[in-house]
Amino acid sequence: MLPALPDIMLEPLVRAGLLEDLGRGGDLTTSAVLKGTERVRVTLRCREKGVLAGLDLARLSFHLMDPSLLFERLKVEGAPLEPGDVVAVVEGSARSILTGERVGLNFLSHLSGIATATAQIVASMAGTKARLCCTRKTLPGLRAVQKYAVRAGGGISHRMGLDDAILIKDNHIALVGSVQEAVARARKAAGHMVKIEVEVDTPEQLQEVLAGEPVDAVLLDNMPVPMLRTCVEMIKGRLLTEASGGITPLTAAAIAGTGVDLLSVGWLTHSVKALDFGLDFEKTL
């Protein structure tokens, strides 16, 4: 089972979302329409096939509004979902539930969308050694939970931030003048726990990497499948290989079949489609 992120990491995100939604005057509609004494039982229900992620943020969206609300989780993170599946039950003040609903559903839908897309690509790569990873192309402030959702879908994370590892990209090489010079400078500056990866666009650039100072991994960027296969054969298992650029559920299988170790996909976190959830009234308590 996927280890949950601690509430101390999640609460600031949910609190900020609630404060944004409440604005300056609070929930005008609910305050005007309800007496404030109504108590209800509602369900959080998935409306399409997918994979669950983000239920703890939904829980916090209700509990930050009203700690007395009862929240019963019915599904674990990473669980497959079918249309109509109930993932949680909430009981208590109708006013509190309706006010916290949208923020909770927003997090739940977005993160489950990421987990669902991740799981689809992972399934398409079955039978290969390749693993799927996400990138730093995350929405500002949401990196930790978006990368968590990728893990819920069966993927792994690339760098969490710029301080995780050294990744020498094309612009670094252009500014320095050569692959070998960039690697030499990186090797001199890197601590013993810091890995070095180099981005290459062609087999000729890869040959420069292989001929120079040792690195840990190579990013094969925007290469067609035949070129990827050529590069993997040149490396002969000496470096970790990562393919990136234009990877979709339709292309992932062929790319994974070249023998690369990793497929990195930015759109998993920056533009994935949300999974549809709703809050359904069950009964008055």
Side-chain angles (χ1 to χ4, degrees):
M1 187 172 67
L2 179 68
L5 294 177
D7 282 0
I8 195 170
M9 293 176 64
L10 305 179
E11 184 172 309
L13 301 176
V14 179
R15 186 179 296 274
L18 289 169
L19 288 172
E20 178 184 55
D21 213 18
L22 289 164
R24 297 169 297 175
D27 185 351
L28 298 182
T29 307
T30 302
S31 297
V33 172
L34 299 187
K35 296 178 181 179
T37 57
E38 300 90 343
R39 293 177 58 81
V40 295
R41 173 187 172 98
V42 300
T43 58
L44 296 181
R45 192 181 302 271
C46 186
R47 293 174 175 162
E48 57 184 321
K49 185 180 180 68
V51 175
L52 178 64
L55 196 53
D56 281 325
L57 289 101
R59 168 179 57 81
L60 284 170
S61 73
F62 294 111
H63 281 169
L64 285 175
M65 286 304 308
D66 185 346
S68 72
L69 294 177
L70 300 178
F71 186 95
E72 181 184 3
R73 173 191 287 271
L74 300 181
K75 297 282 187 180
V76 299
E77 300 289 87
L81 299 174
E82 295 293 333
D85 280 355
V86 175
V87 299
V89 175
V90 190
E91 292 185 0
S93 163
R95 177 179 288 181
S96 300
I97 289 172
L98 292 179
T99 301
E101 168 191 0
R102 176 44 50 199
V103 170
L105 289 179
N106 284 349
F107 278 117
L108 184 61
S109 295
H110 177 61
L111 297 181
S112 294
I114 292 173
T116 300
T118 301
Q120 290 171 347
I121 296 183
V122 169
S124 76
M125 302 189 312
T128 72
K129 68 173 183 177
R131 302 189 71 184
L132 179 67
C133 65
C134 54
T135 71
R136 286 172 41 245
K137 295 178 181 178
T138 54
L139 300 181
L142 297 182
R143 181 169 296 174
V145 293
Q146 288 187 316
K147 284 179 172 283
Y148 166 82
V150 169
R151 296 196 297 276
I156 59 174
S157 177
H158 203 277
R159 293 186 295 175
M160 283 295 294
L162 291 171
D163 59 347
D164 276 4
I166 292 175
L167 174 51
I168 301 171
K169 298 176 72 68
D170 53 356
N171 286 333
H172 298 109
I173 295 169
L175 288 167
V176 170
S178 72
V179 169
Q180 293 189 7
E181 177 62 21
V183 171
R185 294 186 188 185
R187 180 59 64 192
K188 184 177 180 180
H192 69 286
M193 296 291 287
V194 177
K195 291 190 175 183
I196 298 175
E197 182 174 17
V198 182
E199 175 185 289
V200 300
D201 301 318
T202 65
E204 290 73 25
Q205 283 187 322
L206 174 60
Q207 188 57 51
E208 286 188 66
V209 174
L210 296 175
E213 292 193 44
V215 298
D216 301 288
V218 63
L219 171 59
L220 308 170
D221 191 43
N222 283 298
M223 292 185 178
V225 167
M227 186 182 293
L228 275 174
R229 188 172 289 109
T230 296
C231 288
V232 170
E233 292 171 355
M234 289 171 61
I235 293 167
K236 295 183 172 63
R238 289 175 287 174
L239 303 175
L240 189 73
T241 54
E242 173 187 350
S244 180
I247 298 172
T248 72
L250 297 177
T251 63
I255 293 171
T258 64
V260 294
D261 299 298
L262 300 168
L263 279 68
S264 60
V265 180
W267 61 263
L268 283 176
T269 48
H270 68 62
S271 59
V272 75
K273 177 183 177 295
L275 195 69
D276 190 12
F277 284 86
L279 186 144
D280 296 331
F281 173 82
E282 290 289 304
K283 64 179 180 179
T284 300
L285 300 178

